[in-house]
Amino acid sequence: MASSFVLPHELHGSGPHKVVAVHGWFADRGAYTPVVPDLDRSAFEYALVDLRGYGGARDAGGTYTTAESAADVIELADRLGWERFSVIGHSMGGSVAQRILALAPHRLRRLVGVSPVPASGLPLPPEQWELFAGAAHTPENRRDILDITTGGTRPAAWLDRMVERSVAVSDAKAFRAYLDSWAGEDFHDRVEGATVPALAVTGALDPALSADLMRATWMDWYARAELAELPACGHYAMDETPLALIRTVEDFLRADGPHV
């Protein structure tokens, strides 16, 4: 499970409850920048990571799978001395978070998926698959995906900025390889019945990773599952409704109590 690779990361806060935050398919750890100023730094210590192929790990080799990413996160927790920790994962990062649950359930205090890809993967119809697969090399595809998954409601300048950032912080080969992993791999039999408290946060404007999909997957698999839907939000809650996201997630994490 362990590797010799150390995920690039930044730490925020000094609280006793340790939390790893994993970004999604389109971004590096900068995806969490909008929420950083308002995190509870006395209750929590957050590690924001760059997966292989992104940000500070843009040139790192690997298989670019959610399973490899999960092993990398566990290795980082070991290096940080975090025996137990919670994990937050956005979109593809939600799949990584559930892979961590499969690999080391005893290590996890709480699990949070923000518009998480289910552990069963996300089968895409042929036209959608073409759109997503082409996004590795076609920025316009990334823009279309961003627009669709935020309900067609966001400003053009924001879409353009998100695309520019996405292209800048991701390696195209890794980006394409991760799609096969998060969309195509089904490992839900390895997490079904898990008793780690698990919160799924969805955005009402996101047609893909919706509350209904979570009810059919996440809520069905996890014995202590919770679901929260943010009404004025699509797939990118960190950008769209950062304060509502922080409040929802930290209230859930805080319910674990003060123990280390």
Side-chain angles (χ1 to χ4, degrees), residues 22-196:
V22 184
H23 62 80
W25 190 40
F26 268 40
D28 64 353
R29 67 181 185 251
Y32 290 97
T33 297
V35 302
V36 166
D38 301 305
L39 297 173
D40 184 344
R41 295 157 186 263
S42 62
F44 306 104
E45 182 176 12
Y46 289 92
L48 314 184
V49 303
D50 284 337
L51 300 180
R52 297 176 193 241
Y54 292 89
R58 193 175 188 275
D59 297 326
T63 58
Y64 309 119
T65 63
T66 57
E68 176 185 66
S69 298
D72 285 341
V73 169
I74 293 170
E75 170 74 8
L76 176 62
D78 289 345
R79 288 173 178 266
L80 292 172
W82 293 3
E83 178 58 33
R84 298 195 72 228
F85 57 94
S86 293
V87 62
I88 301 168
H90 174 246
S91 195
M92 175 181 81
S95 179
V96 174
Q98 292 168 89
R99 285 281 193 184
I100 296 169
L101 176 63
L103 284 171
H106 59 288
R107 302 286 296 274
L108 287 188
R109 292 178 65 162
R110 297 204 150 211
L111 170 67
V112 178
V114 181
S115 300
V117 173
S120 51
L122 191 69
L124 298 169
E127 284 188 9
Q128 286 188 28
W129 180 261
E130 188 176 336
L131 176 68
F132 277 65
H137 297 284
T138 308
E140 187 60 34
N141 286 33
R142 299 196 195 200
R143 194 180 193 280
D144 288 345
I145 292 167
L146 283 156
D147 196 23
I148 291 166
T149 58
T150 53
T153 63
R154 300 309 176 202
W158 179 80
L159 297 173
D160 293 340
R161 179 170 63 83
M162 291 286 280
V163 171
E164 184 178 1
R165 183 182 77 178
S166 178
V167 172
V169 302
S170 63
D171 173 76
K173 176 185 173 184
F175 187 90
R176 177 62 185 83
Y178 276 117
L179 174 63
D180 288 337
S181 181
W182 66 254
E185 295 171 358
D186 181 352
F187 62 95
H188 84 276
D189 59 329
R190 298 188 57 196
V191 296
E192 192 168 7
T195 57
V196 172

Side-chain angles (χ1 to χ4, degrees), residues 168-244:
V169 302
S170 63
D171 173 76
K173 176 185 173 184
F175 187 90
R176 177 62 185 83
Y178 276 117
L179 174 63
D180 288 337
S181 181
W182 66 254
E185 295 171 358
D186 181 352
F187 62 95
H188 84 276
D189 59 329
R190 298 188 57 196
V191 296
E192 192 168 7
T195 57
V196 172
L199 170 67
V201 182
T202 61
L205 304 179
D206 183 357
L209 290 152
S210 64
D212 283 345
L213 180 61
M214 293 306 119
R215 291 185 189 101
T217 55
W218 188 284
M219 298 298 291
D220 190 47
W221 299 331
Y222 300 127
R224 300 173 67 189
E226 298 181 29
L227 175 63
E229 185 178 54
L230 303 179
C233 187
H235 189 68
Y236 296 89
M238 289 87 75
D239 283 87
E240 297 175 82
T241 56
L243 297 181

